[in-house]
Amino acid sequence: MIARPYLICLPLSLRLSVMPEKSKPRPFINAHTHIFTHKNVPPYIAKTLVIFPFYFLLNIPLLIRLVHYFTHKQGDKLPFQIRDGFTELRFLINRYTQHKLITRLLVSVLDIGIRLLNILFVISFPIYYGGWQKKWGFFDSVIDQILGVSILGRILFVVFSALLFAPVRRMFWWVLRNIFGFLKSLTGPQTIALVKRYVAMAYYADKFNQGDVFRNLTNLYPDNTRFVVLPMDMDYMAAGKPREDYAHQLADLRGMLKSQNSFFKKYALPFVAVDPRRIADPANQFTHQFITQLIDQDGFCGIKLYPPMGYFPFDKHLLETLLWACKNGVPVTTHCIRGIIYYRGLKQRDWDFHPIFKDNKGKPIALRSYKNREFSYNFTHPLNYECLLDPALLADVLRYHNDPALNQLYDFDASNPNAVPANTLTELNLCLAHFGGEDEWERFLDRDKGDFEIALHDPLKTYTLDKGKMEPYWESVSWFSIVYNMLLKYPNVYADLSFILYDERIMNLLKQIMQTPEISDKILFGTDFFVVRQKKTEKVLWTDLRAELGETAFYQIAQTNTARFLNLTPATP
C-alpha cells in the first residue's frame, strides 16, 4: 500500500474524500443448495437402516417439530430464563469460593462428594428396578443405609447437579460419548450418518417455510451471492407420505418467484425436481409441457434428477424433457454420490439386471445387491450417463424402450441394428453433483493398478468404453475416474464439489487436477447446504476453499464456470 503522509495534515472530511473507495466483494454462485423444510421429508427415512418397528421412533417431522417448539416458541421464555438464572448462581458461588485457598479446598471436597452421589444415584436405578440387589450386596447396603432418598429426589438431585456444576455435566457427557461410540459399533455408519443428517435438518429445516431457510442461507455469504436451489421430490421414496408433497414444495417456489420485488427472485436460481414416475402418472399433471412452462415462463433455471429414489436417468419418461433441455441449453444437475437418501421399498424384479450394459459374454450385467443402500447405487452410478451422452449407447436405450414416439423424436431408425439417433444428447448441459463422492476420490488415490485410473499420469487421455464388455468399468473403476473421463469427453459435462468439500483429504487432489484447464473449466463450486451442516458450517466451507485455491481459481469455479453452466452472463468483477 502506498503511504500518503500528506493526508495527515488535512481535515478529516477532506481526508475521507480523497481516500480510495472500498471495493465491493465480487459476486459468485453456489451451484448446489437446498431449502426444503421438514414438511417435505417422508417421516420414516430411517426405514431399512433401523429394524422394524424402531425406525418409527426416528420420525424426522416429529423430531424437528420438537426442536422447533423448544427453540422458537419457548426460546424467549422459560429455558433461557432458567439458563440465565443458573449462570448467575454459578457466578455468585464462584465469587465467594474461588478467591481463598480454604474455600477452594472445601469446594473440591464438595465436588468429589457430589460426583460420587451422582454415580451412586444413577447406579441405584438398575439395582432397585433391575432385580440386582442380591448380586450387588455392597451397593444394596450402601443404598439402603446412605441413599434413603425417593426416586423423585434422586432425579432432581442429578438434574440440579448437571445444571449447576460443570464437572458433573462433563462426567455425564463422557459417559454418553462412550455409549454413543458403542452404539456406533452396533448400528453401522449408515445409521449414524442418518442421525447426523437428522441433526443437520433440525438445525435449518425446522423453519416452516422455504423463504426463511433461504434468507438464512444468504446471510452466510457476501452480498449479491446467488444460489442454485435444488428441491427434492421424496414422494416416491417409499418411506411414508410427507406432510406436504412435492406439489406444495414446488408451488411455494413458484409463488416466491412470482412475487413482486421478491428477494428470492433476485438471488435464487431454482431448478425443477423431475421424477419419471410423477410424469408417468396422469393424475399428477406433471407433463413435459408443464416442466417447460416452469422454466420458460415461471423463472425456474434448470432440472434436478435424483436417481437413487428408484429410477435410471435414461428412464423412458425423462427422454423427451432431456432432449428439449439439450436443444435449449437448459442445465441439468443430477445426484452422483453414495448417500443415505434413497428408495426404501422392495427391489423390483426388473432391477436385477442392467437394462443396457452387457458383460463379456454379451449378457446383461447382473445387479446382485438386494439391500436398499446397495442396489440404489446402481441408479446413482455415473456410467449410467454414458447411456445418454454416447450416441451408440443412446441407440441401445431407444431400442430397449421400443417407443415409436421416442424414435421419431430422436430421429432414430430402430430397424437398422447399426443406426444411431440423429438427435443426440452429447451436448447436454449436465452437472454430476458431488463429483462421485469423497470416498471415490480416496478410492482413486488408493489404487496402484488399473488402466483407467490415469488422471494423474496422463491428465488429457480419455478411454473409449467397449459397450460389449462394460462389467469391468461398472465394478472396478473408481467413480472419480469415470466422472473425470466424462469431463474430458463431453463438451458440456460438469461436476460440482458439493458435500465433499468438508473432507480435507480431497484438497490436494483437487488442486492437482485444477492444473489441467480442460478439467478446471468444468468444476463448479457448491456446498450442499444445509445437508453438509453435519460436517462443517457453510462459512467454513467456502472461506476455507477460497483460501486453499486462491482468488483466481476460486472465482473460476464459483463464478465463470457456474455462469457458463447456467447460461448466465458472467458477472463483472
Side-chain angles (χ1 to χ4, degrees), residues 530-543:
F530 48 82
V531 174
V532 75
R533 182 59 176 77
Q534 61 179 289
K535 301 293 186 180
K536 287 184 179 179
T537 67
E538 197 75 7
K539 289 182 283 189
V540 167
L541 288 172
W542 74 263
T543 55

Side-chain angles (χ1 to χ4, degrees), residues 124-380:
S124 74
F125 300 147
I127 289 178
Y128 270 123
Y129 301 105
W132 297 351
Q133 292 96 330
K134 294 182 180 179
K135 296 181 181 179
W136 298 85
F138 168 74
F139 281 112
D140 187 42
S141 61
V142 168
I143 292 168
D144 283 343
Q145 298 175 24
I146 300 177
L147 306 180
V149 184
S150 68
I151 184 67
L152 179 60
R154 297 176 205 174
I155 293 173
L156 291 175
F157 182 84
V158 170
V159 171
F160 182 82
S161 300
L163 289 171
L164 192 58
F165 300 105
V168 176
R169 289 198 303 277
R170 288 194 292 268
M171 179 181 69
F172 283 124
W173 277 122
W174 180 84
V175 172
L176 289 172
R177 280 198 302 269
N178 282 275
I179 291 174
F180 186 68
F182 173 70
L183 291 175
K184 284 175 69 175
S185 66
L186 295 179
T187 56
Q190 290 279 331
T191 306
I192 299 304
L194 182 65
V195 172
K196 291 180 177 179
R197 182 71 59 90
Y198 278 10
V199 172
M201 287 182 176
Y203 193 81
Y204 282 111
D206 67 315
K207 307 291 185 184
F208 277 93
N209 67 74
Q210 297 180 85
D212 288 344
V213 181
F214 184 72
R215 279 195 173 270
N216 196 115
L217 168 62
T218 60
N219 289 336
L220 306 176
Y221 283 83
D223 194 19
N224 294 322
T225 303
R226 303 184 74 185
F227 305 88
V228 172
V229 174
L230 302 173
M232 292 282 289
D233 185 351
M234 293 179 268
D235 295 358
Y236 296 91
M237 190 176 175
K241 292 184 178 181
R243 185 176 169 189
E244 288 187 355
D245 61 14
Y246 175 62
H248 282 86
Q249 184 185 167
L250 191 62
D252 287 344
L253 295 174
R254 293 180 77 186
M256 288 190 287
L257 284 172
K258 291 180 178 180
S259 175
Q260 293 293 327
N261 302 317
S262 169
F263 178 84
F264 182 78
K265 185 176 182 179
K266 183 177 180 181
Y267 296 110
L269 301 162
F271 279 33
V272 182
V274 177
D275 188 305
R277 292 161 295 190
R278 186 172 296 280
I279 299 174
D281 186 352
N284 292 317
Q285 299 182 344
F286 194 81
T287 62
H288 166 69
Q289 290 72 24
F290 178 67
I291 297 169
T292 59
Q293 175 191 326
L294 290 172
I295 296 172
D296 284 340
Q297 301 176 26
D298 293 348
F300 286 82
C301 301
I303 293 167
K304 171 66 187 301
L305 302 179
Y306 203 95
M309 287 298 182
Y311 61 88
F312 287 101
F314 47 83
D315 187 280
K316 169 183 176 179
H317 298 285
L318 294 175
L319 292 180
E320 181 180 4
T321 300
L322 290 177
L323 182 60
W324 171 83
C326 183
K327 289 183 175 180
N328 291 276
V330 175
V332 178
T333 292
T334 187
H335 182 84
C336 189
I337 187 177
R338 290 179 170 88
I340 59 171
I341 303 299
Y342 48 74
Y343 180 72
R344 294 300 200 265
L346 294 175
K347 184 180 181 182
Q348 298 178 17
R349 188 175 295 274
D350 291 345
W351 299 346
D352 285 341
F353 296 93
H354 196 279
I356 307 301
F357 293 148
K358 304 293 191 296
D359 61 19
N360 56 4
K361 297 180 181 179
K363 296 181 179 180
I365 293 177
L367 307 177
R368 297 179 176 85
S369 301
Y370 280 86
K371 292 184 178 179
N372 293 71
R373 68 173 178 267
E374 295 173 359
F375 74 69
S376 69
Y377 300 155
N378 298 327
F379 304 121
T380 314

Side-chain angles (χ1 to χ4, degrees), residues 75 86 119 130 136 176 210 403 465:
F86 277 112
I119 292 171
W136 298 85
L176 289 172
Q210 297 180 85
D403 186 316
L465 300 174

